[in-house]
C-alpha cells in the first residue's frame, strides 16, 4: 500500500538518486490555487460554524451533535494541515519547502485526522444502531459520549506515531527534497502501510456496513412488513365489525314480527 504520507511525494519519477519533476502551466497553477483555496476556506468556515453553533446553544448539546463537532474538528485539521501543504509542495513547487521540522508533524497530523474522522463515523453509527435497532435499550449518555471521544483521540494520536518518528525530508539533490517515511526495508514499509489500511479503512468500513445495514433493514423491511400486518389486522377487524352490524340489524328486524304476532291473532278473532 502506498502510505498516506507519500501523498507529499514531490516528484513524479526518481532514478539513480536524482529526481525529475513535472511542470504545469501558469493558468493551471492559478486554477489549482483558487480551487484549493476555496475548498480550504469553505471547510474551515463551515466546520467552524458547526462547532460554534453546538457550543453556543445549550439545546444543541446532544450526543449526535458532540460526535458531529468531533468530526468537524477532524475536517478542520485536514483543511489546515493537508490541503495547503500537499498542493503547494506537490503541485506548485515540486519539492518540500517547509523545513525538516514540519515534515513529520504534517504527515503525522494528516494520518491522525483520517483516524479521527473514521472512528467518529463508527461511533455515530453505533449510536444510531442502538437508537433505531434496539430502541428500548438505554441510550449513550453525555458522559459516555465524552469518554468515547477522548478514547477516539487517544487511539487516533497513538496509531500513527511511527510516522512521526520515521517521516523526514530525503534530499535527492543539494536543494530539493521529498517529505516521506524512511524505513529500513520494504517489509517494514508494507507492514505498516497495510496495518494503517486495515485500521483506518477496512475495520471501520465493516462496522459501518453492519450497523447501517441493520438500520436500513429495520426501517424499510420491518416497517413494510409491520404495515402490511397492520393493514390485514385492520381489514379483519373491519370485516368482523360489518358481520356484527349485520347480525344486530337482522336481530332488530325480526323482533317486531315476533312482538306483533299475538296482536295480529287477537284482531283476527274479532274480525271473523
Amino acid at each position: 500500500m502506498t502510505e498516506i504520507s507519500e501523498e507529499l511525494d514531490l516528484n513524479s519519477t526518481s532514478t539513480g538518486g536524482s529526481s525529475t519533476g513535472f511542470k504545469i502551466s501558469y493558468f493551471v497553477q492559478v486554477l489549482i490555487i483558487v480551487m484549493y483555496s476555496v475548498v480550504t476556506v469553505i471547510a474551515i468556515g463551515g466546520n467552524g460554524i458547526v462547532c460554534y453553533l453546538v457550543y453556543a446553544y445549550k439545546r444543541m448539546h446532544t450526543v449526535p451533535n458532540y460526535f458531529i463537532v468531533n468530526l468537524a474538528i477532524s475536517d478542520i485539521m485536514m483543511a489546515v494541515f493537508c490541503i495547503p501543504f500537499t498542493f503547494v509542495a506537490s503541485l506548485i513547487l515540486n519539492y518540500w519547502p517547509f523545513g525538516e521540522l514540519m515534515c513529520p508533524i504534517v504527515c503525522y497530523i494528516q494520518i491522525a485526522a483520517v483516524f479521527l474522522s473514521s472512528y467518529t463515523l463508527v461511533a455515530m453509527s453505533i449510536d444510531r444502531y442502538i437508537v433505531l435497532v434496539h430502541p428500548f435499550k438505554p441510550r449513550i449518555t453525555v458522559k459516555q459520549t465524552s469518554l468515547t471521544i477522548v478514547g477516539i483521540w487517544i487511539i487516533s494520536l497513538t496509531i500513527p506515531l511511527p510516522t512521526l518518528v520515521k517521516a523526514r525530508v530525503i534530499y535527492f539533490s543539494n536543494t530539493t527534497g521529498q517529505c516521506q517515511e524512511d524505513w529500513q526495508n520494504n517489509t517494514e514499509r508494507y507492514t505498516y502501510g497495510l496495518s494503517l489500511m486495515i485500521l483506518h479503512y477496512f475495520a471501520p468500513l465493516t462496522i459501518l456496513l453492519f450497523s447501517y445495514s441493520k438500520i436500513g433493514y429495520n426501517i424499510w423491511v420491518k416497517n413494510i412488513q409491520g404495515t402490511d400486518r397492520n393493514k390485514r389486522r385492520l381489514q379483519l377487524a373491519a370485516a368482523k365489525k360489518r358481520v356484527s352490524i349485520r347480525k344486530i340489524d337482522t336481530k332488530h328486524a325480526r323482533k317486531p314480527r315476533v312482538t306483533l304476532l299475538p296482536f295480529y291473532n287477537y284482531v283476527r278473532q274479532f274480525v271473523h
Side-chain angles (χ1 to χ4, degrees):
M1 181 198 110
T2 302
E3 296 164 285
I4 297 174
S5 61
E6 287 183 337
E7 292 177 357
L8 299 175
D9 200 341
L10 309 179
N11 300 282
S12 57
T13 58
S14 61
T15 56
S18 61
S19 62
T20 58
F22 60 90
K23 298 294 183 179
I24 56 178
S25 66
Y26 178 77
F27 173 76
V28 175
Q29 288 186 10
V30 173
L31 183 62
I32 291 174
I33 291 173
V34 171
M35 292 176 63
Y36 271 83
S37 300
V38 170
V39 170
T40 303
V41 171
I42 292 176
I44 296 175
N47 288 291
I49 291 173
V50 170
C51 296
Y52 169 75
L53 290 176
V54 175
Y55 174 79
Y57 296 96
K58 191 173 182 180
R59 60 186 178 86
M60 299 288 286
H61 295 180
T62 61
V63 171
N65 287 343
Y66 288 146
F67 286 130
I68 290 174
V69 168
N70 201 49
L71 191 63
I73 293 173
S74 68
D75 290 341
I76 291 174
M77 291 173 60
M78 289 290 290
V80 172
F81 291 99
C82 181
I83 297 176
F85 291 96
T86 300
F87 93 84
V88 169
S90 300
L91 299 177
I92 304 302
L93 300 179
N94 283 338
Y95 66 92
W96 181 257
F98 303 108
E100 295 187 2
L101 179 62
M102 289 298 296
C103 174
I105 294 175
V106 170
C107 293
Y108 172 74
I109 293 178
Q110 286 180 0
I111 302 176
V114 172
F115 276 100
L116 272 175
S117 179
S118 299
Y119 289 163
T120 302
L121 290 174
V122 169
M124 294 173 68
S125 71
I126 294 173
D127 176 57
R128 295 297 90 194
Y129 173 83
I130 294 174
V131 171
L132 297 174
V133 179
H134 302 288
F136 297 106
K137 285 188 176 182
R139 292 193 58 180
I140 299 176
T141 63
V142 174
K143 183 178 180 180
Q144 291 172 337
T145 303
S146 302
L147 293 176
T148 301
I149 292 175
V150 171
I152 289 172
W153 275 87
I154 292 174
I155 295 173
S156 300
L157 295 176
T158 302
I159 293 176
L161 283 176
T163 297
L164 185 63
V165 176
K166 293 292 184 179
R168 68 184 185 90
V169 180
I170 300 176
Y171 291 95
F172 293 96
S173 67
N174 294 330
T175 57
T176 63
Q178 298 178 9
C179 178
Q180 61 183 22
E181 295 168 8
D182 185 20
W183 295 93
Q184 297 293 331
N185 51 63
N186 288 333
T187 302
E188 293 181 356
R189 181 188 302 274
Y190 293 143
T191 301
Y192 179 64
L194 181 61
S195 300
L196 288 183
M197 179 63 75
I198 292 173
L199 291 173
H200 85 74
Y201 181 74
F202 288 111
L205 179 63
T206 302
I207 298 174
L208 290 172
L209 287 175
F210 171 78
S211 58
Y212 284 116
S213 296
K214 291 289 290 183
I215 291 172
Y217 176 79
N218 277 267
I219 291 177
W220 294 323
V221 178
K222 280 194 172 182
N223 278 354
I224 291 174
Q225 293 176 352
T227 303
D228 292 338
R229 284 195 295 267
N230 289 335
K231 285 182 179 179
R232 287 195 291 271
R233 289 172 184 171
L234 291 174
Q235 290 173 355
L236 289 174
K240 290 179 181 179
K241 187 175 181 180
R242 286 195 297 269
V243 171
S244 300
I245 291 174
R246 287 173 185 170
K247 288 181 178 179
I248 293 172
D249 290 342
T250 304
K251 187 176 180 181
H252 283 292
R254 290 177 180 176
K255 276 184 179 180
R257 296 178 186 176
V258 176
T259 306
L260 293 175
L261 184 58
F263 178 75
Y264 173 76
N265 292 333
Y266 177 77
V267 173
R268 186 177 179 186
Q269 290 177 1
F270 283 97
V271 172
H272 295 286

